[in-house]
Amino acid sequence: MKWKNAAKNGFKLITFLAILAALFLAVSQILRTKWVTQNQEEYIYSNLYDLNEDSLDVLILGNSQAVYGFSPVEMYDYAGISAYSLGGSRATLMSNYYWMLETCKTKDLSLVILDVSGLLERFQENYERERIDLMHFSRNKIDNILAMDGLVEDSLLSYFIPVLKYHTRWSKLEAVDFGYGLNSDLAYRGQDLEDYCKKGLNYNRMIIDDSDPEENLREMYDYQLEYFDKIYTYCQENDIELLLVKTPKYSWIGSDSAQVQALADKYGLTYLDFNWESMLNAIGYDIETDMKDADHLNVRGAEKLSDWLSDYLRENYELPDRRQDLDYDLQINRNLYETERTNAYLTTTTDPAERLALLKKHTACDIFLSTYGDTAGLVSDELAALLADLGLETDLNELEEGYGFVAWLTNDGTSVEEKTAENDVSISGTLDNGVAYDIASRNRGEGEQMARLSIGGEDQSVDTRGLNITVYDQEQDLVIETVCIDLETGEMTCVTREDP
């Protein structure tokens, strides 16, 4: 009987400890910081674990350059290449190495593409913790934590037991900390679809053709070189090809490229640097449309680079065309991806015709239009046809002098249109999602000319001469964009609000 009682008590103890451990892990998960406000890292790293076994052929490693610089979905759609971009803010090659090992536990890789920015990035603990927190408990995580000894100020124990780091966050917890509002569908095979377009960058500053390889020499960090060698060695021992790449980056200089090229030569590796003008020309790069900011591509730039790179990979590596496998699952929310991609292209275009053509894809969005000034005879046949295709019944070229005009093209395919030669003309009401709207135009009468729109009580107006257009998504309660097409200039320029 004693041994039975002992066994029973032992079982109770084990059960109690298991429940205690589960509660401890749950509390730690709630308290830790959620990395969703920058680069979608919460989703990029965690989504990797959700991929089917042996469903990945190419792993792209790097820091934020990898998040924005490559489009794995485009690589699949364009050439059938199954790739995943694994990067994050200021990720080191140490982090890249251990996440590569973590990936290879369940994925049979043929090629690793390494964006080399990290070679000249110094170790920053707050950024490294992001990747540690998101890695499942494993030998790789243990080794990664131990490898940071001497580089971090926090105790290594706090990496094993996150609650030691985050216990003071209990008073700052938000819904997202409990899992509410998290949307892992927003990262697409490791890409964060960036929809902002940085203007005014100097193209001659971007290219490195005329820079002195010795100017402003920045030495590579020894701990980065150590893990570069580890990545190379692992790839060699496991029959994985290694390709070095540098995406366009304003702060990348000639001496940076020269050092990486020397490293590539030493290891017998190919290095593709897209800061050389010949490489930028090869991908069809446009500095006015393709940059998120000075150092990162937006969706347009990423897709241009990815198309060229896909052709290069198909010519130089043996990679299967996964499109030929009817059972292959890219494992993304395709509908949401297409919507986000269209949004990104819409907000980065500078061409009025392309803008209106993209609006046609927004079947789930409401489009509000108002005129500022006269439009008769100023709307080109191309724009008139595109507006009609969107559902606009009024021919703006036939509006008489002094007429103001407003229209609401609803998300169900109908339109509400008003015009007047008097004072203000307006349409107002409440949308199906309960959000109020008010759109108005004035072309004569008391007061100055204007074209105004408010949604949910917030002004969304560009209020500039020409055709003012606002696109609103009721489901997301999100103003996709507000622009004005200037109809009185021969160029028909677009005026877009600054990114907030």
Side-chain angles (χ1 to χ4, degrees):
M1 289 294 294
K2 289 185 178 180
W3 68 267
K4 289 184 178 181
N5 289 332
K8 186 176 180 179
N9 291 333
F11 177 77
K12 288 181 178 180
L13 177 61
I14 292 172
T15 302
F16 171 77
L17 292 176
I19 293 174
L20 186 64
L23 289 173
F24 182 80
L25 290 174
V27 170
S28 296
Q29 177 67 15
I30 291 171
L31 287 175
R32 76 166 177 82
T33 301
K34 307 303 182 296
W35 313 104
V36 295
T37 58
Q38 187 178 26
N39 300 343
Q40 305 288 1
E41 292 181 34
E42 185 79 21
Y43 309 136
I44 289 172
Y45 284 90
S46 60
N47 283 2
L48 180 71
Y49 288 107
D50 297 330
L51 293 184
N52 296 330
E53 282 197 27
D54 299 329
S55 61
L56 190 61
D57 302 312
V58 179
L59 180 64
I60 303 169
L61 294 173
N63 50 26
S64 57
Q65 304 290 308
V67 175
Y68 297 112
F70 303 89
S71 174
V73 178
E74 176 67 11
M75 293 173 73
Y76 172 83
D77 290 344
Y78 181 80
I81 295 173
S82 173
Y84 197 97
S85 193
L86 198 62
S89 299
R90 304 193 181 278
T92 63
L93 269 66
M94 175 192 294
S95 173
N96 291 162
Y97 171 69
Y98 286 108
W99 272 100
M100 178 184 69
L101 298 186
E102 192 73 358
T103 303
C104 288
K105 291 195 305 185
T106 57
K107 312 296 184 293
D108 187 14
L109 298 178
S110 298
L111 171 67
V112 167
I113 298 174
L114 177 65
D115 184 278
V116 295
S117 292
L119 285 164
L120 292 111
E121 295 269 11
R122 67 180 180 85
F123 183 97
Q124 296 186 53
E125 181 175 3
N126 58 319
Y127 291 111
E128 286 300 285
R129 184 175 281 276
E130 299 178 19
R131 265 73 67 181
I132 292 293
D133 283 350
L134 293 169
M135 186 180 289
H136 290 183
F137 190 78
S138 64
R139 176 59 186 268
N140 294 324
K141 183 166 186 169
I142 294 172
D143 289 344
N144 194 168
I145 294 171
L146 295 178
M148 294 193 299
D149 188 23
L151 293 173
V152 297
E153 293 182 4
D154 290 342
S155 71
L156 293 184
L157 187 60
S158 72
Y159 286 87
F160 290 105
I161 308 175
V163 73
L164 297 178
K165 171 72 175 180
Y166 299 120
H167 66 278
T168 59
R169 284 194 73 241
W170 66 269
S171 61
K172 302 176 182 178
L173 294 179
E174 300 176 352
V176 70
D177 291 300
F178 297 90
Y180 298 106
L182 291 176
N183 186 1
S184 61
D185 286 339
L186 293 175
Y188 307 99
R189 284 267 170 155
Q191 182 189 18
D192 183 2
L193 282 174
E194 179 52 52
D195 63 356
Y196 185 59
C197 183
K198 178 68 174 179
K199 302 295 184 182
L201 295 176
N202 184 343
Y203 178 74
N204 291 326
R205 173 68 179 80
M206 177 65 74
I207 61 176
I208 59 176
D209 295 55
D210 300 323
S211 59
D212 184 351
E214 300 301 323
E215 182 183 6
N216 300 319
L217 183 64
R218 298 185 296 175
E219 293 187 9
M220 296 179 183
Y221 291 98
D222 289 341
Y223 51 77
Q224 303 286 28
L225 290 169
E226 174 188 354
Y227 279 91
F228 177 87
D229 185 77
K230 288 179 180 291
I231 291 171
Y232 169 82
T233 301
Y234 182 86
C235 288
Q236 286 286 301
E237 293 175 348
N238 291 275
D239 296 322
I240 301 172
E241 301 272 8
L242 179 60
L243 173 65
L244 308 183
V245 172
K246 181 71 224 77
T247 60
K249 185 177 182 181
Y250 215 59
S251 59
W252 194 250
I253 57 178
S255 59
D256 297 340
S257 183
Q259 289 185 90
V260 176
Q261 186 61 64
L263 188 67
D265 293 341
K266 174 183 175 181
Y267 282 85
L269 299 171
T270 298
Y271 172 43
L272 304 175
D273 191 330
F274 289 93
N275 275 86
W276 291 102
E277 187 169 24
S278 60
M279 297 296 285
L280 291 173
N281 289 338
I283 67 174
Y285 174 81
D286 183 346
I287 198 169
E288 288 300 311
T289 63
D290 297 344
M291 299 300 292
K292 165 190 179 288
D293 53 38
D295 283 346
H296 302 87
L297 292 171
N298 61 23
V299 63
R300 289 175 177 268
E303 291 193 0
K304 288 178 180 180
L305 188 150
S306 295
D307 285 349
W308 186 94
L309 183 62
S310 295
D311 285 334
Y312 179 86
L313 297 183
R314 294 303 300 272
E315 291 174 7
N316 293 276
Y317 301 90
E318 295 183 5
L319 298 172
D321 185 343
R322 295 285 194 162
R323 296 170 302 178
Q324 305 303 315
D325 183 354
L326 298 180
D327 294 326
Y328 185 76
D329 184 3
L330 202 57
Q331 294 179 262
I332 64 167
N333 185 329
R334 176 62 77 166
N335 289 336
L336 185 57
Y337 171 81
E338 295 297 342
T339 298
E340 291 290 317
R341 181 179 181 274
T342 300
N343 289 350
Y345 265 80
L346 185 64
T347 56
T348 55
T349 183
T350 58
D351 180 71
E354 182 187 20
R355 189 179 300 277
L356 292 178
L358 286 166
L359 285 178
K360 181 63 178 175
K361 295 184 177 182
H362 274 290
T363 56
C365 288
D366 295 272
I367 301 172
F368 299 93
L369 301 96
S370 58
T371 59
Y372 183 124
D374 292 324
T375 62
L378 298 175
V379 183
S380 69
D381 291 342
E382 181 182 19
L383 289 184
L386 288 167
L387 287 168
D389 197 33
L390 284 172
L392 190 68
E393 297 179 357
T394 302
D395 185 345
L396 297 181
N397 276 321
E398 295 182 356
L399 284 181
E400 297 179 19
E401 181 181 352
Y403 269 74
F405 175 80
V406 293
W408 169 30
L409 308 181
T410 70
N411 61 17
D412 61 6
T414 61
S415 70
V416 179
E417 304 175 24
E418 297 287 347
K419 61 183 178 181
T420 186
E422 303 301 327
N423 290 332
D424 296 2
V425 58
S426 64
I427 300 172
S428 62
T430 303
L431 299 170
D432 291 340
N433 65 350
V435 173
Y437 70 92
D438 187 356
I439 179 171
S441 170
R442 182 193 303 133
N443 200 17
R444 67 163 55 167
E446 299 179 3
E448 298 179 352
Q449 292 177 323
M450 61 87 172
R452 301 273 173 81
L453 171 71
S454 70
I455 294 179
E458 294 186 12
D459 181 45
Q460 302 292 341
S461 308
V462 174
D463 198 19
T464 304
R465 182 186 65 193
L467 180 61
N468 289 255
I469 304 173
T470 295
V471 183
Y472 174 70
D473 186 329
Q474 289 196 46
E475 184 176 345
Q476 300 184 66
D477 186 21
L478 177 67
V479 174
I480 304 299
E481 68 154 11
T482 299
V483 298
C484 179
I485 301 176
D486 189 333
L487 300 174
E488 292 192 18
T489 66
E491 298 176 352
M492 292 184 298
T493 57
C494 295
V495 180
T496 308
R497 292 179 305 154
E498 289 295 323
D499 184 68

